[in-house]
Amino acid sequence: MGEPGPLALGEAWRGVASCSLAAFVLLARHRVRLPRERVGTRIAFADGTSARVYRETRLGSGAAKDPCTLVVTFRLRLVRGPAHALFRRESLLNTPLFVGFPGFASKLWLAHDERDRYRGVYEWDGSRRAEHYARSLWRVPALVSVPGSIRYAVVPGLRRDDLIAAPQPAGGPERDDTAWWRTAAGR
């Protein structure tokens, strides 16, 4: 788990462009699903915040062969009050920016929490692929996010639904920075 930051601009934008092309093929073949079972579920985090799932995106079954969970967070600039609802509706248009990345399995889109942070909780097929995606796509939310607010955590060997179902143990005092992505007992 780490946060080395975004990829170099050229490499990141090539990854996003390649993903977008693959995404349009997946969308044309009706491989992308928007199940509703988890919509409305509230997920609590170890930092004392919680957020509601407002959308799920799944590719095929949504299950990875080499599972890992990826959690991404950011805080949007200039989005307050009713603008949050507009962002949630508009965000569907961002789907081609991630479903075509190699290894994508599923994503839960979380509404802003008590600190105005949005999160995406993904199941990814392979930790290295998840890391590559997070570092590539970083450049997109950076255009509209509060500087320094973008973070991600890759948790190898853990399915997304397992992360949500069971609170995650703290890594000790030196890992207090993990509280933003670790789940907590429901609220």
Side-chain angles (χ1 to χ4, degrees):
M1 191 168 357
E3 293 183 62
L7 292 177
L9 275 172
E11 185 178 359
W13 288 118
R14 278 190 301 279
V16 170
S18 176
C19 163
S20 295
L21 291 173
F24 287 113
V25 171
L26 293 167
L27 289 164
R29 293 182 178 166
H30 305 285
R31 297 267 335 272
V32 179
R33 306 275 183 251
L34 298 172
R36 304 218 22 97
E37 299 92 69
R38 289 203 174 269
V39 172
T41 302
R42 184 161 286 280
I43 299 174
F45 292 91
D47 66 358
T49 63
S50 66
R52 181 183 53 78
V53 175
Y54 70 91
R55 181 179 301 122
E56 180 175 5
T57 304
R58 191 171 62 209
L59 189 59
S61 71
K65 293 179 181 129
D66 178 20
C68 75
T69 298
L70 167 66
V71 184
V72 176
T73 189
F74 59 91
R75 197 162 51 98
L76 294 171
R77 280 188 298 240
L78 308 174
V79 175
R80 303 288 178 268
H84 284 295
L86 179 63
F87 171 76
R88 288 190 303 271
R89 283 192 297 278
E90 161 296 309
S91 65
L92 183 63
L93 300 175
N94 297 328
T95 302
L97 299 176
F98 63 87
V99 297
F101 266 94
F104 171 77
S106 65
K107 175 184 180 180
L108 294 178
W109 307 62
L110 276 62
H112 65 289
D113 66 13
E114 296 84 353
R115 298 177 189 166
D116 283 338
R117 293 176 303 187
Y118 284 86
R119 289 182 183 94
V121 182
Y122 300 76
E123 181 157 329
W124 215 269
D125 200 349
S127 305
R128 294 178 79 187
R129 290 171 160 181
E131 179 98 15
H132 183 262
Y133 160 75
R135 295 185 65 210
S136 293
L137 198 68
W138 187 307
R139 299 295 184 171
V140 175
L143 298 171
V144 295
S145 294
V146 172
S149 70
I150 301 171
R151 300 181 75 184
Y152 72 91
V154 176
V155 187
L158 186 65
R159 291 195 179 280
R160 181 200 73 189
D161 289 347
D162 294 338
L163 176 93
I164 293 166
Q168 301 302 299
E174 73 283 355
R175 298 301 307 169
D176 283 342
D177 64 329
T178 66
W180 69 269
W181 68 262
R182 284 186 294 108
T183 56
R187 298 200 284 172

